[in-house]
Amino acid sequence: MQRLQQVLEQAKNHGWPVEQAYGNTWVTLPRSLFKAQMETWKTQGFNYLADIVGLDYLKYPQKKPERFCVVYELVSMPGYKSGDGSRFFVRVFVPESNPVVPTLTDLWLGADFLEREVYDMFGIKFEGHPDLRKILTPEDLEGFPLRKDFPIGETPTLFKEGRFIDPDSFRAGLTGHESGMTGWRGGSRKGYQDVFEEIQKVAKEGGN
């Protein structure tokens, strides 16, 4: 993994934050240096842009540099242009007041639809993209569905024996705001066992 070692040395020399866990490596780039460095890494042998995802840290319990972040997965694909199998992730934080990063479509053609998806879901714009428009949601949908403040119409998820998940309480549990993530049925709510017994009762009555 010679190319990954080169990346780690470059990050150390420039003071870019590096995180390594579970066999993965993340390097955080300043937005001002992002495009030029991504081009450098491509010339160094990272010939495949595997994925682009957006993140919204609006309600994240730990403080982040900005609300939004875009993550890129770069791979030095073995068997293609002398790739050695190195793989790592690039983070670039994006301010809510100006959610814009340069497009990578001129470096990797595969960035086209990936950037459009992040734009559609998070409202992060990719400057220079040749056709930046929605790709998943209807044109008349207002807002960005994967932003944490996007209003969602939801109903509780009911499991057997009456246990259910209330969406608001579940999210609160995930973020550490509350300890409970599931509840139990009340009132007219019926669990699987109750429904099964009713079905058995009706079936027996129908057979007599």
Side-chain angles (χ1 to χ4, degrees):
M1 302 296 180
Q2 181 180 357
R3 289 190 173 88
L4 180 57
Q5 290 303 315
Q6 290 177 339
V7 170
L8 294 175
E9 291 174 6
Q10 291 169 336
K12 181 179 179 181
N13 293 336
H14 289 87
W16 299 329
V18 174
E19 179 182 348
Q20 292 182 298
Y22 308 108
N24 294 316
T25 299
W26 293 264
V27 177
T28 301
L29 287 178
R31 188 168 58 150
S32 59
L33 302 177
F34 165 72
K35 182 64 176 284
Q37 187 57 44
M38 294 294 273
E39 185 172 4
T40 297
W41 280 330
K42 182 180 180 181
T43 61
Q44 289 178 192
F46 286 92
N47 48 47
Y48 178 48
L49 174 63
D51 203 0
I52 304 175
V53 298
L55 297 171
D56 181 0
Y57 288 108
L58 178 64
K59 298 181 179 180
Y60 197 69
Q62 297 177 2
K63 178 70 174 178
K64 295 294 181 179
E66 300 289 353
R67 173 180 174 178
F68 297 113
C69 179
V70 184
V71 180
Y72 301 78
E73 182 181 0
L74 293 184
V75 181
S76 180
M77 186 71 72
Y80 178 66
K81 294 185 177 180
S82 68
D84 70 348
S86 293
R87 170 180 170 271
F88 75 108
F89 298 87
V90 180
R91 289 188 183 122
V92 57
F93 284 94
V94 184
E96 182 179 5
S97 60
N98 184 30
V100 180
V101 291
T103 184
L104 296 184
T105 52
D106 54 330
L107 299 179
W108 292 277
L109 291 177
D112 186 353
F113 285 9
L114 297 173
E115 291 180 350
R116 285 178 58 189
E117 182 176 341
V118 174
Y119 166 69
D120 195 358
M121 295 290 103
F122 292 92
I124 298 172
K125 297 179 180 179
F126 295 86
E127 190 173 32
H129 191 288
D131 186 25
L132 191 61
R133 56 190 171 91
K134 290 177 173 243
I135 192 171
L136 296 176
T137 65
E139 288 295 331
D140 58 353
L141 177 70
E142 296 182 2
F144 307 101
L146 289 186
R147 287 192 176 189
K148 297 301 183 182
D149 52 2
F150 184 80
I152 301 177
E154 299 170 301
T155 57
T157 301
L158 178 65
F159 297 93
K160 60 184 180 181
E161 301 296 340
R163 185 171 60 85
F164 69 94
I165 290 179
D166 176 73
D168 290 335
S169 300
F170 185 74
R171 280 195 299 273
L174 290 177
T175 57
H177 295 158
E178 294 181 13
S179 58
M181 292 169 61
T182 63
W184 293 87
R185 65 182 177 85
S188 60
R189 186 186 300 277
K190 294 185 177 181
Y192 169 82
Q193 191 64 37
D194 295 321
V195 174
F196 178 76
E197 290 175 357
E198 286 189 6
I199 293 174
Q200 292 291 92
K201 181 180 179 180
V202 171
K204 290 180 179 178
E205 292 175 352
N208 294 331

